[in-house]
Amino acid sequence: MFSIGQLALTSMISHLFFIFITWRLIQTINFDPLIRKGRATEARLLLLFITIVIGTGVSRFFLEFLQWSQDLRLLF
């Protein structure tokens, strides 16, 4: 069982890790045809927000799955 501090540190590291992985994956997609000229800054900011949403969602899934797997021992 994690203490509150360990859980907070694990969650922060997990979120940052999955946001980084998602950012690297999104960079492989060519969005140039979809971006209007003169709007590159706004498009990069939108991609950053999308990255944060996806990375955080994946991180929450893994953190919840970790918690559920630890809670299974309470079943028996």
Side-chain angles (χ1 to χ4, degrees), residues 19-32:
I19 288 170
F20 174 74
I21 295 297
T22 306
W23 178 254
R24 294 293 303 254
L25 291 173
I26 283 184
Q27 293 301 308
T28 63
I29 301 170
N30 185 14
F31 289 106
D32 292 338

Side-chain angles (χ1 to χ4, degrees), residues 4-15:
I4 294 174
Q6 290 172 330
L7 184 62
L9 183 62
T10 304
S11 297
M12 290 171 63
I13 291 171
S14 174
H15 278 57

